[in-house]
Amino acid sequence: ASTHHRLVEEQAGLIEAEKHRSVAILAAGIAHEINNPLSGIMQCAQALRDGTVPEERKQEYLDAILEAVGRLKSVVEGVRDYARQRPALPNDLDAAEIVSSCLRMVAPLCEEAGVRVESSVEPGAVRIRAEGAQLRKALGNLVINALYFSARGDKVSISATRRGYMWGIAVADHGPGIPKENLSKVTDPFFTTKPPGEGTGLGLAITYGVLRSFGGELELASEAGHGTT
């Protein structure tokens, strides 16, 4: 009884420590993501207030402020989406329609990146019980990630696979892959390998949360130098 009581206390202590660690990581990530655009806004605003900006460059400074504000807004929205525990009620959806609408949404990004995205998901072949907007967001995050790590001329493939009673929608790229030591971290909030200013590190965390909320899973298969699925 004494040993059991000690183990329960130790477990409770570990859970509490992990909670504090998670909050600390989240806070540090938010601070990092907010600090850079906020510093840019302050510098631009001070320069405009002090009158040190030439007339022909004022628009450039105002545009930089608006861009930084947009980034702050996206961070706040990402945190809100990540924290959202109860999504809208699920519906019976055709996976092919979700994929098609997602690809229409990211078409400009595909063109800019010079990457083809091809889907082999047949209409009516896969039915999913989920909420459409949330599922599109989750799939969009995966496609955007794949585009980011793809070279010009590469192809990203979207396909459907079945394992037992579960359907899987696979998004596969031919990018540099994920190092083994990072595979367990990619769904952590604010973990990113992208350069500062190019990613909040919330995309896969939100995707993971959305899929889990509908009884799904997020599985990653990757090897450094050989792409990611």
Side-chain angles (χ1 to χ4, degrees):
S2 175
T3 302
H4 175 72
H5 179 70
R6 187 173 70 251
L7 285 172
V8 169
E9 283 191 334
E10 288 176 357
Q11 185 180 37
L14 288 171
I15 291 171
E16 194 63 28
E18 185 60 28
K19 284 181 182 177
H20 286 300
R21 177 179 172 274
S22 297
V23 170
I25 291 171
L26 194 64
I30 293 172
H32 173 75
E33 289 298 326
I34 287 179
N35 189 54
N36 288 339
L38 201 57
S39 296
I41 290 170
M42 289 178 65
Q43 289 171 7
C44 289
Q46 285 173 352
L48 289 167
R49 183 197 63 187
D50 297 341
T52 58
V53 182
E55 191 65 34
E56 64 273 13
R57 294 199 63 193
K58 282 186 178 179
Q59 189 60 48
E60 182 184 326
Y61 274 62
L62 292 171
D63 288 343
I65 289 174
L66 288 173
E67 183 182 342
V69 169
R71 179 152 185 80
L72 290 174
K73 184 172 182 288
S74 71
V75 171
V76 172
E77 288 176 347
V79 173
R80 184 187 61 198
D81 289 342
Y82 176 76
R84 186 178 180 183
Q85 296 296 317
R86 296 168 64 184
L89 293 175
N91 298 302
D92 186 47
L93 305 169
D94 183 350
E97 290 181 3
I98 295 293
V99 172
S100 295
S101 63
C102 174
L103 294 187
R104 286 194 296 271
M105 181 179 69
V106 301
L109 294 175
C110 297
E111 188 175 342
E112 183 182 342
V115 176
R116 288 180 298 125
V117 181
E118 297 180 354
S119 171
S120 61
V121 183
E122 296 291 335
V126 183
R127 310 296 300 183
I128 299 176
R129 186 76 178 167
E131 197 276 318
Q134 290 290 311
L135 195 58
R136 273 188 289 273
K137 179 186 293 182
L139 183 61
N141 285 338
L142 295 178
V143 174
I144 289 169
N145 250 28
L147 288 174
Y148 182 88
F149 290 106
S150 296
R152 294 191 75 82
D154 273 0
K155 182 178 77 171
V156 172
S157 303
I158 302 178
S159 59
T161 58
R162 187 167 187 168
R163 188 171 63 209
Y165 67 93
M166 296 286 284
W167 275 103
I169 304 299
V171 179
D173 66 56
H174 301 281
I178 303 171
K180 189 176 180 180
E181 64 271 17
N182 288 343
L183 271 174
S184 63
K185 304 175 188 174
V186 293
T187 56
D188 291 350
F190 295 104
F191 176 81
T192 180
T193 58
K194 297 175 183 176
E198 292 193 22
T200 62
L202 285 167
L204 288 180
I206 292 169
T207 298
Y208 178 70
V210 167
L211 297 178
R212 288 298 299 271
S213 72
F214 297 121
E217 293 289 342
L218 178 63
E219 296 182 355
L220 289 106
S222 186
E223 187 179 343
H226 297 281
T228 300
T229 300

